[in-house]
Amino acid sequence: MALDQIIVIIVGVGLSVLVAWYFWFSEKKGVKIQASDTGIQEAVIKVKGGYTPDVLIFKAGKPIKLNFIREETAACSEEVIFSDLGKKATLTPFKTIPVDLKIDKPGEYNFQCGMGMLHGKLIIE
Amino acid sequence: MTQRDPVCGMDVKSPSEFFVERNGERYDFCSDSCKTKFINEPEKYLVKPKEKQAEPKEKQAATYSITSNGKEKIDIPIVGIHCSSCIPTIESEIKKLPGIDFASINIATEKAHIEFSNSEVKTGDIISAIKKAGYQTGHATISLGIVGMHDASSISQIEEGLKRTSGVLSASVDLATGSVIIKYIPGLVDLNKIKNEIRKLGYDTFDTSGVKPDKLKDSKAGEEVDENQAAREKEYRTLMKKFIFAAVLALPVIFFSYPTVWNLPEQFQMGSETLRLIWVAMSILSLPVMFWSGSQFYTGAWAGLKNRSANMNTLVATGISAAWLYSFVATYFPGVFPSAELADQFFDVIFVVVALVILGMALEIRAKGKSSEAIKKLMGLQAKTARVLRDGNEVDIPVEEVVLDDIIIVRPGEKIPVDGMIVEGSSSIDESMITGEAIPTEKNVNDEVIGSTINKTGSFKFKATKVGKDTTLSQIIKLVEQAQSSKAPIQKIVDKVSGYFVPGVIIIAILTFVVWYVFGPSPTLVYALITFVTVLVIACPCALGIATPISLMVGVGKGAENGILIRSGDALETAQKLDTIVLDKTGTITEGKPSLTDVITANGFTEEDVLMLSASVEKSSEHPLAEAIVNGAKDRSIELKDAQNFNAVPGYGVDAEIDGRNILLGNIKMMEKFKINLGVLEEESTQLADDGKTPMFVAIDNKAAGIIAVADIVKEDSVDAIIQLKKLGLEVVMITGDNTRTANAIAKQVGVDRVLAEVLPEDKALNVQKLQNEGKIVAMVGDGINDAPALAQADIGLAIGTGTDVAIEASDITLIKGSLKGVVLAVQLSKATMKNIRQNLFGAFFYNGLGLPIAAGVFYPFFGLLLSPLLAGAAMAFSSVTVVTNANRLRNFKPKF
């Protein structure tokens, strides 16, 4: 086996491991959202090719307000769906679209775009 | 936004930390103690919406409404406006005040309508301004809800206390609605003063100025729909421009990329100087294609990367970047490659893939617009204005301002703005948009009308019973949206796959590169690169992600169009697996109320005589069957007479006199009591009873005259629907509390084989469970109120609605039109939708499952099969369009009867 082939194998396998680690196994840091004086846990989520932040941590039993701002016109992110909660919102581009939630049961609740390409998660403690 | 604390009446910020959700309504409180009070005794603090409108409407009444943002609207009656020329004087005087947003005087109603922010100006200031202009204001009437008023002593305390307040003319407490109606002179006293006065007396107040629909929110929702549509259109146009740009450039690029294929002259072949210059041109042109036409691939990929997530954009961006990089080196530094044949370019891949994928995205936007048409159609149904009777005048107001108990006038051809009940007039109404029933329904006084349906022939007035977000239409929209955002269980497989899909594809692409480089034929680097790019470009995560939700959206929307409301994807998926369908008899198979079925005569009496006399007698009776006889006579245009000496014999029947003739009407015991010889009638009555009817004997002047039979008749289309259900392979079971004889008679009539008779209402759920224990998947069809436990027990509960009750909690599917055909339709629709979902999923899995190995060149060693990245790009581009288009086929779903 020639040297270049060995290098390609090593680099290729290394890259594969890197991809797997980066997308699957690296731990995503959640953003903890504090309740304001009014008792609402309010967060702003930027929507552009993904949700930023995409993992949000809330306290159970208190109202949650997620303000989505979709900073793109690509149709992919037009809808945000909270299928565990039966909620859906159409995000008008460059506008703040609030989604009001209240989750009593601690756990993880996923949300995603209408096509299942972009993912986010609410962690309720 | 502020909300009123229902306990203490304070304005609190909503959403507040302290709140309770009750019957779908949210109540905010100022403190934990108010919240606790409310939880312990919610009824005490809640006034039913109907009662909230106890405000008397008289000509000289001022009306208040306070919006959430501190803006106040007020109508102040003005005395003595005679000419339109005085109006500007008053208006300008009012407008001089600070904080006035709007002031206008209606000479017809003699009222000033003023909108102002209550932090800057008080009602009293406005009154003074009107006085300054030389006019007097009339007295106003308001209704205030009072908390904690229980007995007569508090009534007098409040009434007396208020009357002592200067400016208050009268105060009268209505204990039934828990409110006080106050007449007062605005200017001398205002709402806050009155509230304070009441508070001083030890009671809390709450506003009863009408249940205002959340106008702010509603109008926003309406705008959003349009804005979203506009944004989608804009995106489509942008994408098309990007596509055309890339596509036009792609043509010459393809031409010069395959000189051998087109047999071009020598100077355009590999290695020539001309071709090298052409490559340089391509490398320059490729930049705008990548970074303008294909900009979203890069922005999307970058954003995803930051979030540690990968998507379609990641794949395309990586693929075209790799192709570009290689081609760039081949063009500018061909010497880098060990052999000349390696120095080839792949600019064509960039142009073609970008153009095709962009085109695919554009087409998808178009197709998706159609998929969500059903909900848009529903939203568009909402009427914009209503012609309301206010203070004796007809006024056109926006539909959001209609409050409960408003009297609304509807003319032929107009849309009915909100739900209500007809109080005057009659008409035939086209309800097809809500119930799916094509034939217009006749409606008379006391009949319900549904908002957004269309009045066909007559004019009528109706009283608003549901407004704002409580209307049938709003409920339907909410339900449909909820269902569309729910997940079908089948989606779970997809969810598992999709999380690993894109990074998986990237890894496969890398490994493909490695394998081709190490083991592939020469030139290995070229093959390795091509397969790498092809794998990236062929994978289509979008098709996978969209397969289930898009069909679900179309299916649920289609249901709504036909008057079938499916609560969730789960319900839709279960509905196609059903084995057994249990039908409640009363109200589901039958009309649910008795009607006249037979008139049999004897001893020479005519049918008309027998019916006329018995109906005339029954006119005075309160027996439930009596109404059926009276209506039966009316239907045959028989005029009724007045009965004398009416006498009801409980357990037997009734007797009375009409025109001097003695009439007996009752059961066989009645006839025996009066020693009437029944003859053949007795046999006839047995026959009728066997048919599930209730026979009543009629005797005139002590001679048997005939039999009148009433029965709960079978709905017109029940027989048909049951045949269809059987054809769908379902076992049909009838459940009823009736005796076996009647039950069997009805079952025979409609063709049901299995009957569960004499089942107590509370045992219906148990019987459903018994069927489930036989290993069957059971649907229960019932009225949603009495049958709620059975509906909840069944795998699928189908509630037969009565028009406006759409949000029946226990049901998985609500049939707005009270016909069994809806059940057939629901099952058919569920089957069609699930079939569509399966097709989509199969397509998406099959496509990826076959496309990826081919692209990776798995079949190359055996069949020499290798895919061009151009074809892979085309396949990716059209896979999601195919899925959406397939889902749109569901829009053509037609019920089969």
Side-chain angles (χ1 to χ4, degrees), chain A residues 4 22 26 38 48 51 73 78 83 90 92 95 102 115 117, chain B residues 19 227-228 232 235 303 305 307-308 311-312 364 487 517:
Chain A
D4 59 326
Y22 188 78
S26 69
T38 48
K48 195 178 181 186
Y51 300 110
T73 50
E78 190 183 25
S83 47
T90 307
T92 311
K95 279 209 150 182
K102 197 189 149 261
M115 299 165 87
M117 295 292 306
Chain B
F19 72 101
E227 261 183 65
N228 289 324
R232 224 175 275 138
E235 175 72 3
L305 215 59
N307 284 327
R308 292 179 189 251
N311 50 45
M312 183 190 82
E364 196 182 311
K487 258 185 198 173
Y517 189 83

PDB file of all heavy atoms in Angstrom, chain A residues 4 22 26 38 48 51 73 78 83 90 92 95 102 115 117, chain B residues 19 227-228 232 235 303 305 307-308 311-312 364 487 517:
ATOM      1  N   ASP A   4       0.463   7.478   0.101  1.00  0.00           N
ATOM      2  CA  ASP A   4      -0.703   8.366  -0.029  1.00  0.00           C
ATOM      3  C   ASP A   4      -1.992   7.649   0.359  1.00  0.00           C
ATOM      4  O   ASP A   4      -2.902   8.220   0.950  1.00  0.00           O
ATOM      5  CB  ASP A   4      -0.798   8.910  -1.465  1.00  0.00           C
ATOM      6  CG  ASP A   4      -0.916   7.818  -2.491  1.00  0.00           C
ATOM      7  OD1 ASP A   4      -0.320   6.745  -2.292  1.00  0.00           O
ATOM      8  OD2 ASP A   4      -1.634   8.023  -3.496  1.00  0.00           O
ATOM      9  N   TYR A  22     -18.740  15.301  16.514  1.00  0.00           N
ATOM     10  CA  TYR A  22     -19.241  16.675  16.505  1.00  0.00           C
ATOM     11  C   TYR A  22     -20.768  16.708  16.491  1.00  0.00           C
ATOM     12  O   TYR A  22     -21.402  17.457  17.218  1.00  0.00           O
ATOM     13  CB  TYR A  22     -18.680  17.428  15.299  1.00  0.00           C
ATOM     14  CG  TYR A  22     -19.001  18.903  15.324  1.00  0.00           C
ATOM     15  CD1 TYR A  22     -18.288  19.765  16.148  1.00  0.00           C
ATOM     16  CD2 TYR A  22     -20.026  19.437  14.544  1.00  0.00           C
ATOM     17  CE1 TYR A  22     -18.574  21.109  16.201  1.00  0.00           C
ATOM     18  CE2 TYR A  22     -20.328  20.783  14.584  1.00  0.00           C
ATOM     19  CZ  TYR A  22     -19.595  21.620  15.413  1.00  0.00           C
ATOM     20  OH  TYR A  22     -19.888  22.951  15.458  1.00  0.00           O
ATOM     21  N   SER A  26     -20.885  15.028  20.980  1.00  0.00           N
ATOM     22  CA  SER A  26     -20.459  16.176  21.771  1.00  0.00           C
ATOM     23  C   SER A  26     -21.676  16.706  22.519  1.00  0.00           C
ATOM     24  O   SER A  26     -22.791  16.672  22.021  1.00  0.00           O
ATOM     25  CB  SER A  26     -19.899  17.258  20.856  1.00  0.00           C
ATOM     26  OG  SER A  26     -20.939  17.806  20.095  1.00  0.00           O
ATOM     27  N   THR A  38     -42.158  39.272  36.196  1.00  0.00           N
ATOM     28  CA  THR A  38     -43.564  38.934  36.007  1.00  0.00           C
ATOM     29  C   THR A  38     -43.805  37.429  36.081  1.00  0.00           C
ATOM     30  O   THR A  38     -44.924  36.977  35.991  1.00  0.00           O
ATOM     31  CB  THR A  38     -44.057  39.438  34.639  1.00  0.00           C
ATOM     32  OG1 THR A  38     -43.101  39.034  33.665  1.00  0.00           O
ATOM     33  CG2 THR A  38     -44.206  40.928  34.622  1.00  0.00           C
ATOM     34  N   LYS A  48     -32.169  30.865  11.819  1.00  0.00           N
ATOM     35  CA  LYS A  48     -31.441  31.071  10.574  1.00  0.00           C
ATOM     36  C   LYS A  48     -30.616  29.828  10.333  1.00  0.00           C
ATOM     37  O   LYS A  48     -29.581  29.640  10.962  1.00  0.00           O
ATOM     38  CB  LYS A  48     -30.548  32.316  10.681  1.00  0.00           C
ATOM     39  CG  LYS A  48     -30.059  32.776   9.327  1.00  0.00           C
ATOM     40  CD  LYS A  48     -29.220  34.021   9.440  1.00  0.00           C
ATOM     41  CE  LYS A  48     -28.784  34.446   8.044  1.00  0.00           C
ATOM     42  NZ  LYS A  48     -27.860  35.552   8.068  1.00  0.00           N
ATOM     43  N   TYR A  51     -31.746  26.851  15.025  1.00  0.00           N
ATOM     44  CA  TYR A  51     -32.295  27.642  16.119  1.00  0.00           C
ATOM     45  C   TYR A  51     -31.155  28.041  17.046  1.00  0.00           C
ATOM     46  O   TYR A  51     -30.369  27.201  17.470  1.00  0.00           O
ATOM     47  CB  TYR A  51     -33.328  26.834  16.901  1.00  0.00           C
ATOM     48  CG  TYR A  51     -34.493  26.386  16.056  1.00  0.00           C
ATOM     49  CD1 TYR A  51     -34.670  25.057  15.724  1.00  0.00           C
ATOM     50  CD2 TYR A  51     -35.418  27.323  15.583  1.00  0.00           C
ATOM     51  CE1 TYR A  51     -35.736  24.646  14.934  1.00  0.00           C
ATOM     52  CE2 TYR A  51     -36.483  26.922  14.795  1.00  0.00           C
ATOM     53  CZ  TYR A  51     -36.638  25.582  14.473  1.00  0.00           C
ATOM     54  OH  TYR A  51     -37.693  25.196  13.694  1.00  0.00           O
ATOM     55  N   THR A  73     -35.460  33.914   4.602  1.00  0.00           N
ATOM     56  CA  THR A  73     -36.703  33.691   3.882  1.00  0.00           C
ATOM     57  C   THR A  73     -36.795  32.255   3.372  1.00  0.00           C
ATOM     58  O   THR A  73     -37.817  31.859   2.859  1.00  0.00           O
ATOM     59  CB  THR A  73     -36.824  34.655   2.684  1.00  0.00           C
ATOM     60  OG1 THR A  73     -35.608  34.591   1.950  1.00  0.00           O
ATOM     61  CG2 THR A  73     -37.074  36.075   3.141  1.00  0.00           C
ATOM     62  N   GLU A  78     -39.985  27.933   7.835  1.00  0.00           N
ATOM     63  CA  GLU A  78     -41.207  28.722   7.927  1.00  0.00           C
ATOM     64  C   GLU A  78     -42.077  28.334   9.124  1.00  0.00           C
ATOM     65  O   GLU A  78     -42.710  29.168   9.747  1.00  0.00           O
ATOM     66  CB  GLU A  78     -42.005  28.551   6.641  1.00  0.00           C
ATOM     67  CG  GLU A  78     -43.166  29.508   6.557  1.00  0.00           C
ATOM     68  CD  GLU A  78     -43.973  29.265   5.311  1.00  0.00           C
ATOM     69  OE1 GLU A  78     -43.945  28.135   4.783  1.00  0.00           O
ATOM     70  OE2 GLU A  78     -44.655  30.201   4.883  1.00  0.00           O
ATOM     71  N   SER A  83     -44.329  19.184  18.445  1.00  0.00           N
ATOM     72  CA  SER A  83     -45.297  18.103  18.274  1.00  0.00           C
ATOM     73  C   SER A  83     -45.672  17.459  19.606  1.00  0.00           C
ATOM     74  O   SER A  83     -46.771  16.966  19.756  1.00  0.00           O
ATOM     75  CB  SER A  83     -44.786  17.066  17.282  1.00  0.00           C
ATOM     76  OG  SER A  83     -43.477  16.740  17.592  1.00  0.00           O
ATOM     77  N   THR A  90     -46.414  29.726  12.580  1.00  0.00           N
ATOM     78  CA  THR A  90     -45.831  30.109  11.305  1.00  0.00           C
ATOM     79  C   THR A  90     -44.975  31.338  11.564  1.00  0.00           C
ATOM     80  O   THR A  90     -45.444  32.316  12.130  1.00  0.00           O
ATOM     81  CB  THR A  90     -46.942  30.430  10.304  1.00  0.00           C
ATOM     82  OG1 THR A  90     -47.836  29.323  10.277  1.00  0.00           O
ATOM     83  CG2 THR A  90     -46.376  30.643   8.928  1.00  0.00           C
ATOM     84  N   THR A  92     -43.231  34.445  10.465  1.00  0.00           N
ATOM     85  CA  THR A  92     -43.116  35.438   9.413  1.00  0.00           C
ATOM     86  C   THR A  92     -41.683  35.954   9.419  1.00  0.00           C
ATOM     87  O   THR A  92     -41.164  36.277  10.479  1.00  0.00           O
ATOM     88  CB  THR A  92     -44.085  36.595   9.690  1.00  0.00           C
ATOM     89  OG1 THR A  92     -45.356  36.026   9.984  1.00  0.00           O
ATOM     90  CG2 THR A  92     -44.216  37.524   8.515  1.00  0.00           C
ATOM     91  N   LYS A  95     -39.810  38.993  11.758  1.00  0.00           N
ATOM     92  CA  LYS A  95     -40.783  39.471  12.741  1.00  0.00           C
ATOM     93  C   LYS A  95     -40.651  38.614  13.983  1.00  0.00           C
ATOM     94  O   LYS A  95     -40.260  37.450  13.894  1.00  0.00           O
ATOM     95  CB  LYS A  95     -42.203  39.320  12.190  1.00  0.00           C
ATOM     96  CG  LYS A  95     -42.605  40.426  11.250  1.00  0.00           C
ATOM     97  CD  LYS A  95     -44.095  40.618  11.313  1.00  0.00           C
ATOM     98  CE  LYS A  95     -44.455  42.050  11.036  1.00  0.00           C
ATOM     99  NZ  LYS A  95     -45.883  42.250  11.130  1.00  0.00           N
ATOM    100  N   LYS A 102     -46.762  26.460  28.515  1.00  0.00           N
ATOM    101  CA  LYS A 102     -46.614  26.221  29.946  1.00  0.00           C
ATOM    102  C   LYS A 102     -46.489  24.722  30.098  1.00  0.00           C
ATOM    103  O   LYS A 102     -47.364  23.979  29.683  1.00  0.00           O
ATOM    104  CB  LYS A 102     -47.812  26.757  30.712  1.00  0.00           C
ATOM    105  CG  LYS A 102     -47.508  26.896  32.167  1.00  0.00           C
ATOM    106  CD  LYS A 102     -48.752  27.214  32.950  1.00  0.00           C
ATOM    107  CE  LYS A 102     -48.639  26.619  34.325  1.00  0.00           C
ATOM    108  NZ  LYS A 102     -49.340  25.370  34.476  1.00  0.00           N
ATOM    109  N   MET A 115     -40.169  20.648   8.145  1.00  0.00           N
ATOM    110  CA  MET A 115     -39.646  19.547   7.352  1.00  0.00           C
ATOM    111  C   MET A 115     -38.734  18.650   8.156  1.00  0.00           C
ATOM    112  O   MET A 115     -38.104  17.744   7.618  1.00  0.00           O
ATOM    113  CB  MET A 115     -38.894  20.095   6.148  1.00  0.00           C
ATOM    114  CG  MET A 115     -39.793  20.898   5.249  1.00  0.00           C
ATOM    115  SD  MET A 115     -38.851  21.864   4.099  1.00  0.00           S
ATOM    116  CE  MET A 115     -38.668  20.666   2.808  1.00  0.00           C
ATOM    117  N   MET A 117     -35.931  19.364   9.531  1.00  0.00           N
ATOM    118  CA  MET A 117     -34.511  19.551   9.258  1.00  0.00           C
ATOM    119  C   MET A 117     -33.802  20.255  10.412  1.00  0.00           C
ATOM    120  O   MET A 117     -32.645  19.994  10.690  1.00  0.00           O
ATOM    121  CB  MET A 117     -34.320  20.399   8.001  1.00  0.00           C
ATOM    122  CG  MET A 117     -34.814  19.755   6.745  1.00  0.00           C
ATOM    123  SD  MET A 117     -33.818  18.355   6.302  1.00  0.00           S
ATOM    124  CE  MET A 117     -32.218  19.116   6.294  1.00  0.00           C
TER     125      MET A 117
ATOM    126  N   PHE B  19     -51.377  31.885  38.141  1.00  0.00           N
ATOM    127  CA  PHE B  19     -52.483  31.731  37.212  1.00  0.00           C
ATOM    128  C   PHE B  19     -53.057  30.319  37.284  1.00  0.00           C
ATOM    129  O   PHE B  19     -52.439  29.405  37.833  1.00  0.00           O
ATOM    130  CB  PHE B  19     -52.042  32.062  35.780  1.00  0.00           C
ATOM    131  CG  PHE B  19     -51.147  31.035  35.189  1.00  0.00           C
ATOM    132  CD1 PHE B  19     -51.652  30.095  34.302  1.00  0.00           C
ATOM    133  CD2 PHE B  19     -49.814  30.980  35.526  1.00  0.00           C
ATOM    134  CE1 PHE B  19     -50.830  29.150  33.764  1.00  0.00           C
ATOM    135  CE2 PHE B  19     -48.990  30.035  34.995  1.00  0.00           C
ATOM    136  CZ  PHE B  19     -49.507  29.111  34.104  1.00  0.00           C
ATOM    137  N   GLU B 227     -49.005  38.002   5.151  1.00  0.00           N
ATOM    138  CA  GLU B 227     -47.580  38.301   5.119  1.00  0.00           C
ATOM    139  C   GLU B 227     -46.777  37.063   4.772  1.00  0.00           C
ATOM    140  O   GLU B 227     -45.823  37.127   4.006  1.00  0.00           O
ATOM    141  CB  GLU B 227     -47.135  38.799   6.496  1.00  0.00           C
ATOM    142  CG  GLU B 227     -47.034  40.291   6.575  1.00  0.00           C
ATOM    143  CD  GLU B 227     -46.536  40.699   7.927  1.00  0.00           C
ATOM    144  OE1 GLU B 227     -45.385  40.375   8.259  1.00  0.00           O
ATOM    145  OE2 GLU B 227     -47.301  41.321   8.677  1.00  0.00           O
ATOM    146  N   ASN B 228     -47.199  35.940   5.373  1.00  0.00           N
ATOM    147  CA  ASN B 228     -46.481  34.704   5.098  1.00  0.00           C
ATOM    148  C   ASN B 228     -46.624  34.317   3.646  1.00  0.00           C
ATOM    149  O   ASN B 228     -45.692  33.841   3.015  1.00  0.00           O
ATOM    150  CB  ASN B 228     -47.001  33.586   5.987  1.00  0.00           C
ATOM    151  CG  ASN B 228     -46.581  33.787   7.417  1.00  0.00           C
ATOM    152  OD1 ASN B 228     -45.481  34.265   7.668  1.00  0.00           O
ATOM    153  ND2 ASN B 228     -47.445  33.458   8.339  1.00  0.00           N
ATOM    154  N   ARG B 232     -43.639  33.956   1.065  1.00  0.00           N
ATOM    155  CA  ARG B 232     -43.456  32.726   0.301  1.00  0.00           C
ATOM    156  C   ARG B 232     -43.342  33.046  -1.194  1.00  0.00           C
ATOM    157  O   ARG B 232     -42.491  32.513  -1.892  1.00  0.00           O
ATOM    158  CB  ARG B 232     -44.670  31.825   0.552  1.00  0.00           C
ATOM    159  CG  ARG B 232     -44.287  30.392   0.790  1.00  0.00           C
ATOM    160  CD  ARG B 232     -45.502  29.572   1.150  1.00  0.00           C
ATOM    161  NE  ARG B 232     -45.802  29.635   2.564  1.00  0.00           N
ATOM    162  CZ  ARG B 232     -47.018  29.753   3.062  1.00  0.00           C
ATOM    163  NH1 ARG B 232     -48.047  29.851   2.262  1.00  0.00           N
ATOM    164  NH2 ARG B 232     -47.214  29.788   4.349  1.00  0.00           N
ATOM    165  N   GLU B 235     -39.989  34.594  -1.856  1.00  0.00           N
ATOM    166  CA  GLU B 235     -38.957  33.567  -1.826  1.00  0.00           C
ATOM    167  C   GLU B 235     -38.971  32.765  -3.123  1.00  0.00           C
ATOM    168  O   GLU B 235     -37.934  32.465  -3.699  1.00  0.00           O
ATOM    169  CB  GLU B 235     -39.195  32.655  -0.612  1.00  0.00           C
ATOM    170  CG  GLU B 235     -38.262  31.462  -0.515  1.00  0.00           C
ATOM    171  CD  GLU B 235     -36.843  31.836  -0.128  1.00  0.00           C
ATOM    172  OE1 GLU B 235     -36.600  33.022   0.112  1.00  0.00           O
ATOM    173  OE2 GLU B 235     -35.992  30.940  -0.078  1.00  0.00           O
ATOM    174  N   ALA B 303     -24.866  27.934   9.731  1.00  0.00           N
ATOM    175  CA  ALA B 303     -25.724  28.055  10.912  1.00  0.00           C
ATOM    176  C   ALA B 303     -25.913  26.690  11.565  1.00  0.00           C
ATOM    177  O   ALA B 303     -25.893  26.561  12.791  1.00  0.00           O
ATOM    178  CB  ALA B 303     -27.077  28.641  10.525  1.00  0.00           C
ATOM    179  N   LEU B 305     -23.896  24.156  11.384  1.00  0.00           N
ATOM    180  CA  LEU B 305     -22.618  23.734  11.953  1.00  0.00           C
ATOM    181  C   LEU B 305     -22.416  24.338  13.332  1.00  0.00           C
ATOM    182  O   LEU B 305     -21.957  23.671  14.260  1.00  0.00           O
ATOM    183  CB  LEU B 305     -21.489  24.192  11.013  1.00  0.00           C
ATOM    184  CG  LEU B 305     -20.283  23.281  10.902  1.00  0.00           C
ATOM    185  CD1 LEU B 305     -20.692  21.906  10.421  1.00  0.00           C
ATOM    186  CD2 LEU B 305     -19.253  23.892   9.959  1.00  0.00           C
ATOM    187  N   ASN B 307     -24.659  25.115  15.355  1.00  0.00           N
ATOM    188  CA  ASN B 307     -25.569  24.449  16.281  1.00  0.00           C
ATOM    189  C   ASN B 307     -25.291  22.960  16.394  1.00  0.00           C
ATOM    190  O   ASN B 307     -26.097  22.213  16.932  1.00  0.00           O
ATOM    191  CB  ASN B 307     -27.023  24.615  15.820  1.00  0.00           C
ATOM    192  CG  ASN B 307     -27.549  25.997  16.120  1.00  0.00           C
ATOM    193  OD1 ASN B 307     -27.157  26.592  17.115  1.00  0.00           O
ATOM    194  ND2 ASN B 307     -28.411  26.486  15.273  1.00  0.00           N
ATOM    195  N   ARG B 308     -24.206  22.543  15.822  1.00  0.00           N
ATOM    196  CA  ARG B 308     -23.866  21.125  15.792  1.00  0.00           C
ATOM    197  C   ARG B 308     -25.000  20.302  15.190  1.00  0.00           C
ATOM    198  O   ARG B 308     -25.373  19.244  15.683  1.00  0.00           O
ATOM    199  CB  ARG B 308     -23.576  20.607  17.200  1.00  0.00           C
ATOM    200  CG  ARG B 308     -22.310  21.217  17.751  1.00  0.00           C
ATOM    201  CD  ARG B 308     -22.040  20.723  19.146  1.00  0.00           C
ATOM    202  NE  ARG B 308     -20.946  21.495  19.721  1.00  0.00           N
ATOM    203  CZ  ARG B 308     -19.738  20.985  19.926  1.00  0.00           C
ATOM    204  NH1 ARG B 308     -19.484  19.739  19.629  1.00  0.00           N
ATOM    205  NH2 ARG B 308     -18.794  21.730  20.435  1.00  0.00           N
ATOM    206  N   ASN B 311     -27.739  19.471   7.953  1.00  0.00           N
ATOM    207  CA  ASN B 311     -28.960  19.357   7.175  1.00  0.00           C
ATOM    208  C   ASN B 311     -28.615  19.295   5.702  1.00  0.00           C
ATOM    209  O   ASN B 311     -27.453  19.177   5.318  1.00  0.00           O
ATOM    210  CB  ASN B 311     -29.894  20.527   7.484  1.00  0.00           C
ATOM    211  CG  ASN B 311     -29.172  21.857   7.389  1.00  0.00           C
ATOM    212  OD1 ASN B 311     -28.429  22.095   6.439  1.00  0.00           O
ATOM    213  ND2 ASN B 311     -29.375  22.708   8.383  1.00  0.00           N
ATOM    214  N   MET B 312     -29.658  19.417   4.900  1.00  0.00           N
ATOM    215  CA  MET B 312     -29.462  19.319   3.459  1.00  0.00           C
ATOM    216  C   MET B 312     -28.425  20.326   2.982  1.00  0.00           C
ATOM    217  O   MET B 312     -27.605  20.017   2.119  1.00  0.00           O
ATOM    218  CB  MET B 312     -30.790  19.564   2.770  1.00  0.00           C
ATOM    219  CG  MET B 312     -30.732  19.428   1.277  1.00  0.00           C
ATOM    220  SD  MET B 312     -32.241  20.009   0.537  1.00  0.00           S
ATOM    221  CE  MET B 312     -31.947  21.765   0.509  1.00  0.00           C
ATOM    222  N   GLU B 364     -41.138  23.216  -4.652  1.00  0.00           N
ATOM    223  CA  GLU B 364     -41.660  22.721  -3.389  1.00  0.00           C
ATOM    224  C   GLU B 364     -42.488  23.794  -2.680  1.00  0.00           C
ATOM    225  O   GLU B 364     -43.519  23.499  -2.087  1.00  0.00           O
ATOM    226  CB  GLU B 364     -40.479  22.299  -2.527  1.00  0.00           C
ATOM    227  CG  GLU B 364     -40.866  21.418  -1.372  1.00  0.00           C
ATOM    228  CD  GLU B 364     -39.636  21.089  -0.546  1.00  0.00           C
ATOM    229  OE1 GLU B 364     -38.621  20.684  -1.138  1.00  0.00           O
ATOM    230  OE2 GLU B 364     -39.705  21.246   0.663  1.00  0.00           O
ATOM    231  N   LYS B 487     -48.128  14.461  15.697  1.00  0.00           N
ATOM    232  CA  LYS B 487     -47.337  13.483  14.970  1.00  0.00           C
ATOM    233  C   LYS B 487     -48.096  12.189  14.845  1.00  0.00           C
ATOM    234  O   LYS B 487     -48.683  11.721  15.809  1.00  0.00           O
ATOM    235  CB  LYS B 487     -46.047  13.223  15.741  1.00  0.00           C
ATOM    236  CG  LYS B 487     -44.873  13.939  15.155  1.00  0.00           C
ATOM    237  CD  LYS B 487     -43.615  13.563  15.862  1.00  0.00           C
ATOM    238  CE  LYS B 487     -42.556  14.597  15.558  1.00  0.00           C
ATOM    239  NZ  LYS B 487     -41.362  14.397  16.318  1.00  0.00           N
ATOM    240  N   TYR B 517     -10.406   5.650  -3.403  1.00  0.00           N
ATOM    241  CA  TYR B 517      -9.019   6.090  -3.552  1.00  0.00           C
ATOM    242  C   TYR B 517      -8.060   4.920  -3.418  1.00  0.00           C
ATOM    243  O   TYR B 517      -7.087   4.798  -4.150  1.00  0.00           O
ATOM    244  CB  TYR B 517      -8.693   7.180  -2.513  1.00  0.00           C
ATOM    245  CG  TYR B 517      -7.344   7.819  -2.757  1.00  0.00           C
ATOM    246  CD1 TYR B 517      -7.227   8.852  -3.688  1.00  0.00           C
ATOM    247  CD2 TYR B 517      -6.200   7.382  -2.098  1.00  0.00           C
ATOM    248  CE1 TYR B 517      -6.007   9.433  -3.954  1.00  0.00           C
ATOM    249  CE2 TYR B 517      -4.962   7.960  -2.349  1.00  0.00           C
ATOM    250  CZ  TYR B 517      -4.881   8.988  -3.277  1.00  0.00           C
ATOM    251  OH  TYR B 517      -3.663   9.566  -3.544  1.00  0.00           O
TER     252      TYR B 517
END
